[in-house]
Structure formats: structure tokens, C-alpha cells
């Protein structure tokens, strides 16, 4: 059989086939290797209006009175982030994830966050959720947003400044406001591994560019 020449397109196909098992085996970074955390706080009324109501999510039941919920605590590199890491830590029980619903909205979200991000911390699931709860409790959510009588269109900068005023230790370059479809989506706060405030990496400093975004009132 004739050898496959390097200039032949078949050579590239053969190389891909030979390297495919190696690429699959390398999927997922090593747990515990990261630089800092991004804590994402989701404005629950906006998420419910865009997605949650259609899913009939229990998070959107007015009985829960959700405002800013914890979307996740994400390990981050100075540029980029790890996900779906290799770890020897056991997955959380249903009870563990269910117990996070008071600040995350649902146990299902807690499980997803552990699977994609928590495994990358190098912590056990119990310690990851405990750290997530500690991070959430360390930041004051401005009370004024819980008192909105109706929907308001606000400049993203106003939301950011409200967080900075309520949390004097936070750094302006460590708070990012994101939006989706004209609604407030998240407030993202960058924290060192010991949960002290820090500046965001350049790829996290992407504020919503809209002039104003809608904040729906808490249900």
C-alpha cells in the first residue's frame, strides 16, 4: 500500500483520527487549578419572565420571594475558566443540592453548578456548597431593589453603583452587570480564593452595553 503523503488531505484526516482518543482523554482541567472566583447573582424576576415561567420552575412561585439568587460560584483563570474538571470528589446527594434551593432557586441548578464548576474547585461538594453560601452571604444585595413597585428601566451603571454603595469593600473593576433581551440578567462579583474582593480579569469586564435595562419587581 502506498504511504499517505503529508500534502494529501487524507493525511490530515488520518492525523485527526489518530489523535481523537488523546483529545477525549484530556477533556476537563485538573481540579483545584484556578486563580479566583466569579460569583454570579441572577435577578430572579427577569429569569422567570424570560425562561422560568415557561419551564414552570418552582423558583418562580411568588411564595419564595426571590430577588437576587446565586447562579453560581465559578473558578476562573486570569483569562478563561476551567469546567467539567477531573476530580476524585464524590457527587452531592439529592439532599445536599435540595438544601441549596433557598439561595439558588432549585436543587437542579445546584447540581448543574457542581458538575460544571464545583468539581473544578478541588473541594468536596459539601465544602463547595458551604463556600458558595458564605460568598453569597458576604455581599449585601441592595434593599432598594426588593421594594420596586413596578418594572423600571435603569442604566446598568445605576445597578452597579447601588452594589458598590451597599458593599464599600467591593472594587468598581470587580463588579460587572450583564443583560439579556433588554432585561437585567446578572451581577457578577470577582473574589479571591479567600472570598475577599478583587478586580475582574479582562475577559470578565464586559458590562451590559445597553443604555437602560428592565428590572421587574419581585413577585
Amino acid at each position: 500500500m502506498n504511504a499517505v503523503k503529508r500534502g494529501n488531505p487524507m493525511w490530515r484526516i488520518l492525523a485527526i483520527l489518530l489523535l481523537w482518543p488523546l483529545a477525549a482523554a484530556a477533556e476537563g482541567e485538573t481540579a483545584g487549578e484556578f486563580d479566583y472566583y466569579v460569583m454570579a447573582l441572577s435577578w430572579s424576576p427577569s429569569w422567570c419572565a424570560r425562561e422560568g415561567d415557561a419551564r414552570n420552575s418552582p423558583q418562580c412561585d411568588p411564595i419564595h420571594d426571590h430577588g437576587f439568587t446565586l447562579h453560581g460560584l465559578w473558578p476562573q483563570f486570569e483569562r478563561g475558566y476551567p469546567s467539567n474538571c477531573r476530580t476524585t470528589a464524590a457527587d452531592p446527594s439529592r439532599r445536599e443540592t435540595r438544601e441549596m434551593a433557598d439561595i439558588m432557586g432549585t436543587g437542579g441548578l445546584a447540581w448543574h453548578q457542581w458538575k460544571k464548576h464545583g468539581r473544578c474547585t478541588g473541594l468536596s461538594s459539601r465544602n463547595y456548597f458551604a463556600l458558595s453560601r458564605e460568598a453569597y452571604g458576604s455581599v449585601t444585595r441592595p434593599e432598594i431593589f426588593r421594594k420596586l413597585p413596578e418594572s423600571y428601566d435603569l442604566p446598568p451603571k445605576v445597578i452597579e453603583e447601588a452594589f458598590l454603595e451597599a458593599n464599600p469593600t467591593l472594587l468598581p473593576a470587580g463588579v460587572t452587570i450583564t443583560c439579556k433581551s433588554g432585561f437585567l440578567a446578572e451581577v457578577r462579583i470577582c473574589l479571591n480564593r479567600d472570598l475577599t474582593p478583587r478586580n475582574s480579569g479582562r475577559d470578565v469586564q464586559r458590562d451590559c452595553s445597553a443604555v437602560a435595562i428592565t428590572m421587574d419587581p419581585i413577585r
Side-chain angles (χ1 to χ4, degrees), residues 10-24:
M10 286 299 296
W11 170 260
R12 291 191 290 272
I13 295 173
L14 178 60
I16 291 171
L17 291 174
L18 290 173
L19 293 174
W20 180 265
L22 296 177

Side-chain angles (χ1 to χ4, degrees), residues 1-5 10 14:
M1 183 174 66
N2 293 332
V4 179
K5 295 182 179 180
M10 286 299 296
L14 178 60

